[in-house]
Amino acid sequence: MTLQDTPTTDGAVGAVVVLAAGQGTRMRSRMPKVLHPIGGRSLLGHVLAAAAPLLAAQTVVVVGSGREAVAEHLSAVAPEALPVVQEEQLGSGHAAAVALDALTEVAGAVLILNGDAPLLREETLTALVRAHQQAGDVLTVLTAEVADPTGLGRIVRDAGGAVRAIVEERDADDAQRAIREVNAGVYIGDAAAVREALTRVGAANDQGEQYLTDVLGLLVADGAPVGGHRAADPDDTLGCNDQRELAARRRTMNDRVLDDLMRAGVVVVDPQTTWVDVTVEVAAEVVLHPGTQLLGATTVGAGAVVGPDSTLVDTEVGEGASVVRSHVQLAEIGPAATVGPFSYLRPGTRLGRAAKVGAYVETKNVQLGEGSKVPHLSYVGDATIGDHSNIGAATVFVNYDGVDKHRTTVGDHVRIGSDTMLVAPVTVGDGAYTAAGSVITTDVPPGAMGVARARQRNVAGWVARRRPGTPGAEAAAAADDAAAAAATDTRTTESADRPPAATDDDQQGRS
């Protein structure tokens, strides 16, 4: 088949229905099941992302348990989606009927999805839509071939391969239980036909619920053409019913992400300990060391090195930059800049090209200019630091007065001495210095040396008087004795080396 012959899905799907009203009691969580996070999105968010490229004119999400939280989440991630409330959870068939009642006239087919299938991909849905178009069926169900079908509805086909029924395991005979093709819970069909069939779905079953699977049986009985499309990867169809399954889906999703990255030229040293959200962008030739987590909207430029043991959240890393054993959130790390080890970059931190934030440094709402350095053991908050400046060890930008935050400005080519306190608001001008141990409370002009410390005063004998009998007093006494002995030895030596005094006769002879 040529590209010209490949059917397009444009306009093929008129509406998308996502069933997300279940309580998810097996999750043992107060959070609605479909809002559990995995790989940078919620379960529901992944399903909506997979369906979005189909460009359906209408998207309806059926909500029930935790409806307020789900509706709020929808407004953030898919504001075009319409939440529809299923007041009573009477089964998947009832939920689908509620959704279809909320739709306006559907031009094209309706696609029905479960909201707890995060591994579902755009490619799988596109292939399902195309198979449905080509076959001209009234309804097509997505299926999967699995190694262990226990607990899943079996797809029963006739001798010609046509789908005839979906049989739940509790209703299956031995031959049907041996079938490994299962129902994935994804359907595409004619909206009017599905809507009409739903009006005939009963609740005569153990759960007393209306099952969406019954729609297929009713259409088959009507003689309508019904088909099944098998997913290329059965993992796409897996749902999440408890925390163990959620963890398994998370691992599968992460493996997929890392596989794609490695194929694109990213070096992942240890895939087992490296986690990357689906929302992250990583360029070729990036090196990810063990224990790295890239989360949210993080982007990493070509040739950068991250890790080991580093977490980046919603952070931009420039080309050739390095982040080692650090936690970074909502920050920008410029090209060739270095961070860590053991640093904490908080929101609003922006590092210029070749800037450095070294060991045990915390920053917040800071702009660090090109080539500037905060090498170690410092806190920098609410500050603008120019280019090629150096912040000495143990410097603190004192930005909070107990009520408001204030900003410090440090110019270009500035040298801040170790153990300096910069009490904001304050400015240190270009080329200025501060003396080590200073508390700077007023502006330092360009080129000046800011000195703000008391003159040192030594109180002799304080330890002997105030801490008698302590190891310190004993050490001080021993040091004094040693010093006195050394002084005596020096005087003795000098006396021995001095020439004898001249006699009167000697003096008279010289005279």
Side-chain angles (χ1 to χ4, degrees), residues 247-338:
R249 307 297 171 261
R250 187 177 288 118
R251 167 56 66 187
T252 300
M253 181 176 293
N254 194 64
D255 288 345
R256 286 179 170 182
V257 170
L258 296 183
D259 187 65
D260 288 342
L261 291 179
M262 288 186 286
R263 290 178 183 276
V266 176
V267 178
V268 182
V269 176
D270 182 14
Q272 292 300 308
T273 62
T274 302
W275 293 85
V276 180
D277 282 349
V278 299
T279 49
V280 168
E281 297 180 8
V282 184
E285 298 184 289
V286 166
V287 178
L288 304 181
H289 284 293
T292 292
Q293 298 183 72
L294 305 180
L295 311 177
T298 295
T299 62
V300 184
V305 177
V306 182
D309 307 322
S310 297
T311 299
L312 277 57
V313 184
D314 298 328
T315 292
E316 179 182 334
V317 180
E319 294 184 1
S322 172
V323 181
V324 179
R325 286 194 169 92
S326 296
H327 187 97
V328 185
Q329 184 173 10
L330 285 167
E332 298 177 17
I333 300 171
T338 60

Side-chain angles (χ1 to χ4, degrees), residues 45-234:
H46 283 289
V47 174
L48 291 169
L54 299 175
L55 302 177
Q58 302 178 73
T59 298
V60 171
V61 178
V62 182
V63 299
S65 179
R67 65 190 67 172
E68 295 84 3
V70 177
E72 182 180 357
H73 179 64
L74 276 176
S75 67
V77 302
E80 73 286 351
L82 174 68
V84 176
V85 177
Q86 184 187 20
E87 295 291 351
E88 296 182 88
Q89 277 71 66
L90 301 179
S92 57
H94 179 258
V98 169
L100 289 172
D101 287 343
L103 292 171
T104 59
E105 184 177 351
V106 178
V110 60
L111 177 67
I112 303 176
L113 310 166
N114 287 322
D116 66 347
L119 298 178
L120 197 59
R121 293 179 294 180
E122 172 194 347
E123 307 93 279
T124 300
L125 291 181
T126 300
L128 171 66
V129 173
R130 287 175 176 167
H132 178 72
Q133 286 179 295
Q134 290 177 334
D137 292 328
V138 170
L139 181 73
T140 303
V141 59
L142 182 66
T143 73
E145 187 85 18
V146 297
D148 181 9
T150 303
L152 303 174
R154 308 305 202 272
I155 299 295
V156 178
R157 295 178 182 264
D158 60 20
V163 175
R164 307 311 298 164
I166 300 174
V167 180
E168 298 301 328
E169 183 169 280
R170 61 179 172 273
D171 301 321
D173 56 32
D174 290 342
Q176 291 169 336
R177 286 195 179 94
I179 298 172
R180 294 195 301 144
E181 186 181 14
V182 298
N183 173 30
V186 177
Y187 309 85
I188 183 170
D190 178 79
V194 172
R195 182 183 282 114
E196 190 280 329
L198 283 169
T199 64
R200 295 183 278 147
V201 172
N205 50 61
D206 293 342
Q207 303 297 319
E209 296 181 347
Q210 300 174 29
Y211 294 144
L212 182 56
T213 53
D214 290 346
V215 168
L216 185 143
L218 290 169
L219 292 175
V220 168
D222 293 342
V226 172
H229 173 73
R230 192 171 300 167
D233 187 344

